Amino acid sequence: MARRLTPLLLIGLLGLTVLLDVPQWGAPWVYEDENWRVQILEDAPLWRPPSRALTMQTYHWTWQQVGMEPAAYRAGNLLLHLLAGVLVYGIGRILVGYTAGLIGAGLFLLHPSNSAAANYVSARAEVLATVWVLLAVWLALRVDRAWRWLAGGV
């Protein structure tokens, strides 16, 4: 029973996260975001480590698409946050089961400290890092399938 309801419950959690986050989109740039806003208008950086080139590339891409509207940057962060929540569910499902995966995803998606990362434009680096780490863990747990997926991509 729980297995059949899981996709619906996960979609419900994602929807609730969006509903709780959307009111923040109308907010202006905040202090930390102002520092990044200046850098967004510069040319996209070269890919030289150590840097935040991926973060700056995503900012630059958003700027090219919609300009300097803070809501668009927050929407990008929210999409990354939702993806991270799905990955938390996937990891929890593999490790301890469907119900625990849903509980973990719910805590991750709805906890105020995590949702703050989606609301601050300047937190995109942290959200991106979270997504990449969770993706690596999820792939490692599915190593037999992951290698076939990676090999198929080459």
Side-chain angles (χ1 to χ4, degrees), residues 36-90:
W36 285 96
R37 187 175 144 186
V38 173
Q39 294 180 27
I40 292 169
L41 297 174
E42 298 173 3
D43 289 334
L46 298 175
W47 289 80
R48 285 182 293 199
S51 72
R52 292 189 179 203
L54 179 60
T55 303
M56 293 309 296
Q57 291 289 340
T58 64
Y59 286 147
H60 194 70
W61 180 82
T62 305
W63 173 71
Q64 288 177 327
Q65 302 304 312
V66 295
M68 294 303 292
E69 180 58 42
Y73 293 87
R74 289 187 178 103
N77 284 7
L78 177 61
L79 288 174
L80 290 168
H81 181 66
L82 294 173
L83 176 58
V86 170
L87 289 167
V88 166
Y89 163 73

Side-chain angles (χ1 to χ4, degrees), residues 13-25 70-86 108-110 114-121 123-124 127-128 131:
L13 279 173
L14 296 172
L16 182 59
T17 303
V18 171
L19 284 175
L20 293 173
D21 194 70
V22 166
Q24 304 297 325
W25 291 6
Y73 293 87
R74 289 187 178 103
N77 284 7
L78 177 61
L79 288 174
L80 290 168
H81 181 66
L82 294 173
L83 176 58
V86 170
F108 179 85
L109 288 168
L110 300 172
N114 288 335
S115 61
N119 292 329
Y120 282 96
V121 174
R124 184 166 297 179
V127 180
L128 278 168
V131 166

